[in-house]
Amino acid sequence: MATRNGSEPYSIAKLSDGERNAILIAANVLTVPAGTLLLIDEPERHLHRSIVSPLLSLLLKEKPECAFIVSTHEPLLPIDNPGSKVLLTRSCVYEGDTVGAYDIDLLENCTIIDDDLKRTILGERRKIVFVEGNEHSLDKPLYSLLFPNASIVAKGSCREVEDAVVGITNTSELNWVKPFGLVDNDSSQPERIADLQAKGVIPLNVYSVESIYYHPEVQRLVGDKLASVVGGDLGEKLEKAKADAIKAISENAKHLSVRIAEKSARAQVFSLLPKKGEVAAGGKRTAEIDFAKCAQDEEARFQVLVSASDLVGVLQRYPIRESAALDAIAKALSFANRTQYEAAVQNALVHDAAAVSLVLGLLGSFPAELIA
């Protein structure tokens, strides 16, 4: 019988597999007679990693009259038991069906295991990419196709992505993970972009992930595939998609330009906040921020792009998802709706390596270890 947090006793059959395994290992170790040699093979295969070293270390202390040989990939176990002898098995040589020789090193000091040694034991750090949005957003499926060798985790907001990357980075000695963050540019100020990059978070070259899905080069890619099936002049469709998108964007000029003006004004306000040590040093800082001028300047910039039919420029700076432009593009290219168009983009990335290269180039530059 077992209890948990003051609960009523319940059958051991109701324990999880990991809990049962922990109890069985402990029971086997604690009940053997003195002088027993115990062989424990890869306990991490049967236990949650967080309890492997604490449990085994406790059992070793409880049975000092016994000898233990533990085969493991858990680097914390020798660190937590500095009095133990540690052999690192690097490889073996077979003679027929049997092992004829081992390449083994005796590690004299295991109070610290450096990354090179961990890499020998565990392989390369597992890559995790934290992205914005949720399981149903456009971000995760796109990045899953672009970075197939990494685990993609949706974390909601930019701040949550930032916190996840920083948290794992600051505890690198306790995990074997290499974290990355990918976030929308959101027309962030250069100082903010530099701050994110310093923390291992990569802002895109464009305002948001929609700017990639609906980039003219991506439109051409998926439009060409559909035109080969349903017919029609692709050039004419692309021109119509551009014209319809610019028209839809123009109808939201005030809203889109004000959204960016608000970000600019907030950045100016935040820039006035004192940095560490400035308050103690004394002095003062004053400024006047003309919100109306921020809005006017941004609207003028917006109109320049629209007048030039610069769709790429608009995609890079403004939240076009807050207009009817995306639906207009999809329909102009003969797709039934946005959902069908976006699925076509993802399908192209599954089957076309050139499409992957194209989209990676549009997104920006990435660390080589993320792409590898």
Side-chain angles (χ1 to χ4, degrees):
M1 302 296 287
T3 63
R4 180 187 288 123
N5 297 329
S7 71
E8 291 295 321
Y10 54 89
S11 169
I12 193 173
K14 293 184 178 180
L15 294 174
S16 69
D17 288 343
E19 290 172 322
R20 282 198 296 270
N21 288 332
I23 290 174
L24 290 172
I25 291 173
N28 279 317
V29 170
L30 295 174
T31 56
V32 298
T36 299
L37 171 63
L38 293 110
L39 307 179
I40 303 177
D41 185 33
E42 297 188 13
E44 65 271 14
R45 295 183 62 183
H46 311 286
L47 302 170
H48 191 281
R49 187 180 175 189
S50 64
I51 70 167
V52 171
S53 184
L55 176 63
L56 269 292
S57 298
L58 180 61
L59 293 176
L60 266 60
K61 291 176 182 176
E62 288 293 322
K63 299 294 288 186
E65 72 278 13
C66 294
F68 291 80
I69 297 177
V70 182
S71 169
T72 183
H73 293 276
E74 175 50 69
L76 286 179
L77 194 55
I79 293 176
D80 291 342
N81 295 275
S84 60
K85 298 292 185 182
V86 180
L87 296 176
L88 174 62
T89 304
R90 297 183 181 275
S91 63
C92 64
V93 177
Y94 277 89
E95 296 178 357
D97 294 334
T98 60
V99 176
Y102 288 94
D103 179 7
I104 294 177
D105 289 335
L106 174 62
L107 305 183
E108 298 292 347
N109 179 13
C110 274
T111 56
I112 297 176
I113 295 184
D114 62 26
D115 274 7
D116 287 339
L117 189 52
K118 284 184 181 178
R119 195 171 292 109
T120 300
I121 299 170
L122 300 173
E124 293 293 334
R125 286 182 180 267
R126 184 164 68 96
K127 292 178 282 192
I128 294 183
V129 180
F130 295 102
V131 302
E132 294 174 291
N134 55 44
E135 296 298 317
H136 306 292
S137 302
L138 292 175
D139 307 66
K140 184 172 180 177
L142 177 70
Y143 297 132
S144 295
L145 293 169
L146 296 176
F147 307 110
N149 296 322
S151 299
I152 310 299
V153 179
K155 291 297 291 183
S157 69
C158 176
R159 178 63 66 185
E160 290 172 300
V161 170
E162 183 180 348
D163 289 344
V165 173
V166 171
I168 291 179
T169 301
N170 289 344
T171 57
S172 59
E173 72 281 0
L174 301 177
N175 63 68
W176 196 240
V177 173
K178 175 61 178 176
F180 301 88
L182 289 178
V183 296
D184 295 343
N185 183 286
D186 288 340
S187 290
S188 298
Q189 297 297 310
E191 296 81 5
R192 173 59 174 159
I193 290 176
D195 178 58
L196 288 170
Q197 291 173 334
K199 295 175 179 177
V201 179
I202 307 165
L204 305 183
N205 275 347
V206 292
Y207 185 91
S208 67
V209 72
E210 285 86 359
S211 305
I212 296 299
Y213 275 85
Y214 290 87
H215 190 281
E217 291 300 317
V218 178
Q219 292 179 38
R220 178 178 295 278
L221 180 74
V222 297
D224 181 55
K225 294 182 184 298
L226 182 62
S228 67
V229 177
V230 302
D233 186 284
L234 177 60
E236 291 180 0
K237 290 182 178 182
L238 290 171
E239 284 299 319
K240 178 172 172 53
K242 181 178 180 179
D244 291 353
I246 292 294
K247 180 176 182 295
I249 290 166
S250 299
E251 293 170 353
N252 286 269
K254 185 73 173 178
H255 171 74
L256 295 176
S257 57
V258 165
R259 287 277 278 109
I260 304 306
E262 288 171 347
K263 288 179 175 289
S264 175
R266 282 197 294 268
Q268 292 182 57
V269 171
F270 287 134
S271 71
L272 299 175
L273 296 176
K275 296 179 173 58
K276 184 177 181 180
E278 288 186 338
V279 172
K284 61 181 179 179
R285 184 181 299 163
T286 59
E288 181 178 282
I289 301 174
D290 188 337
F291 296 146
K293 188 175 186 307
C294 288
Q296 291 167 4
D297 290 347
E298 191 58 50
E299 189 165 1
R301 182 172 185 169
F302 179 89
Q303 291 300 339
V304 168
L305 293 172
V306 169
S307 298
S309 294
D310 186 354
L311 182 58
V312 173
V314 174
L315 289 171
Q316 289 178 330
R317 186 165 180 83
Y318 299 98
I320 59 167
R321 61 173 173 257
E322 297 176 18
S323 73
L326 306 186
D327 288 300
I329 291 171
K331 290 178 180 178
L333 294 175
S334 299
F335 289 93
N337 49 46
R338 277 184 57 186
T339 301
Q340 189 183 79
Y341 172 87
E342 290 157 4
V345 173
Q346 294 167 13
N347 186 62
L349 294 174
V350 171
H351 297 101
D352 189 348
V356 173
S357 297
L358 168 66
V359 172
L360 284 173
L362 296 174
L363 283 170
S365 59
F366 300 97
E369 58 188 322
L370 175 57
I371 299 175

